[in-house]
Amino acid sequence: MTSLAKRVDDSLPGQGLKAPDVHIWHTRLEQSGEAVHALRGILSEDELKRAERFHFDQHRRHFIAGRGILRHLLSLYTGIEPGQLQLEYSRNGKPFLPGMDGDSGIRFNLSHSDGMAVYAFTRGREVGIDIEHQQPIDDMDRIAERNFSAREYTTFGALPEGEQLEAFYLCWTRKEAFIKAIGEGISFPLQQFDVTLVPGEPARLLSVDGSSEKARRWSMHNLLIAKGYAGALVIEGGDGSLKQHKWEYPGQTRQE
């Protein structure tokens, strides 16, 4: 297998991922024509059909890049050829590899926003990741009131106006990462759990269904991926180390 994955220090982690560590990868989805062509060649028939449904060429290229890169990264950790991997989806749309649900089985999650993609990989425990490009939001207060818990909204409203945009995205990414980790997606009410959101405050899951004990089952981390982006990671359990890597197509000029 010719790997398209490179770590920042030019070494490959391969199958060196040990439980309970987490590997986080990030990349730009705007790849060269050569890269998109190579990545398209390892997608499944279903993924190719999904790609063709995109009206805009940029969106189609980004989907192909995002899914192709996921396959190459999964190949590093499983030893299975990228094009041979069989991805399945939970009832709420979370992707997984069938037959890898044991204590050492690979678990993963991904997110993308405005051309940036992030991937998280671990073994034997659930993981959720989210990234958002921080842009001004006209109806930010209304969205916060409808989607934040009462505790979060009170904290949000008490912040200086100049801190509210950052706080909004910190809260949003942390909540998204949690519902992705538990595999419930939008079916789990966002108002039903509390996270920290004050800029500079450590990322924490404070309570779930009003229970701090349920929250202690999970650990939450703030992610600094690129300027102008907010990111969060949620992992089942609290041990292990986090390592960040950058994916690049061979010969590509680094832009970050």
Side-chain angles (χ1 to χ4, degrees), residues 34 47 89 160 182 220 235:
E34 178 188 0
E47 288 167 332
Y89 300 85
I182 63 177
M220 181 173 284
I235 321 157

Side-chain angles (χ1 to χ4, degrees), residues 5-116:
K6 292 176 66 181
R7 194 178 161 188
V8 175
D9 61 7
D10 293 326
S11 65
L12 290 173
Q15 296 185 58
L17 175 63
K18 308 294 184 184
D21 296 341
V22 182
H23 286 181
I24 300 161
W25 293 78
H26 71 278
T27 190
R28 293 285 181 182
L29 291 176
E30 191 57 43
Q31 298 286 328
S32 68
E34 178 188 0
V36 173
H37 178 75
L39 294 166
R40 188 182 190 280
I42 61 171
L43 299 188
S44 68
E45 287 297 321
D46 178 65
E47 288 167 332
L48 290 172
K49 289 178 181 178
R50 290 180 62 184
E52 291 307 312
R53 295 191 193 112
F54 287 96
H55 179 73
F56 295 104
D57 184 61
Q58 182 188 55
H59 296 165
R60 185 181 305 113
R61 293 198 315 271
H62 284 188
F63 176 83
I64 291 170
R67 285 312 174 103
I69 292 168
L70 171 64
R71 285 180 168 274
H72 268 282
L73 292 174
L74 283 170
S75 180
L76 289 177
Y77 296 111
T78 63
I80 302 172
E81 290 287 336
Q84 300 301 314
L85 289 161
Q86 301 295 317
L87 293 174
E88 294 188 7
Y89 300 85
S90 70
R91 60 185 176 85
N92 290 306
K94 185 175 183 179
F96 67 95
L97 290 173
M100 297 215 174
D101 54 354
D103 291 342
S104 62
I106 194 74
R107 308 290 178 85
F108 65 96
N109 200 230
L110 64 152
S111 178
H112 61 87
S113 176
D114 198 26
M116 178 69 72

Side-chain angles (χ1 to χ4, degrees), residues 112-123:
H112 61 87
S113 176
D114 198 26
M116 178 69 72
V118 290
Y119 306 83
F121 300 87
T122 189
R123 293 189 185 278

Side-chain angles (χ1 to χ4, degrees), residues 132-143:
E132 297 290 343
H133 187 212
Q134 299 182 68
Q135 303 181 72
I137 305 172
D138 291 336
D139 52 353
M140 181 172 64
D141 185 79
R142 182 182 64 84
I143 295 173

Side-chain angles (χ1 to χ4, degrees), residues 180-249:
K180 291 171 74 175
I182 63 177
E184 294 296 328
I186 59 175
S187 67
F188 192 90
L190 293 176
Q191 305 90 340
Q192 209 162 306
F193 60 98
D194 301 299
V195 303
T196 56
L197 56 89
V198 176
E201 185 179 11
R204 286 180 57 211
L205 180 63
L206 300 172
S207 68
V208 179
D209 295 328
S211 168
S212 58
E213 183 177 350
K214 287 183 180 180
R216 284 194 288 272
R217 177 188 168 193
W218 306 89
S219 58
M220 181 173 284
H221 302 268
N222 191 52
L223 294 181
L224 299 176
I225 300 297
K227 185 177 180 180
Y229 288 84
L233 176 81
V234 172
I235 321 157
E236 187 179 16
D239 298 325
S241 64
L242 305 182
K243 296 181 180 180
Q244 291 191 204
H245 312 279
K246 181 178 179 180
W247 188 92
E248 292 180 316
Y249 187 74

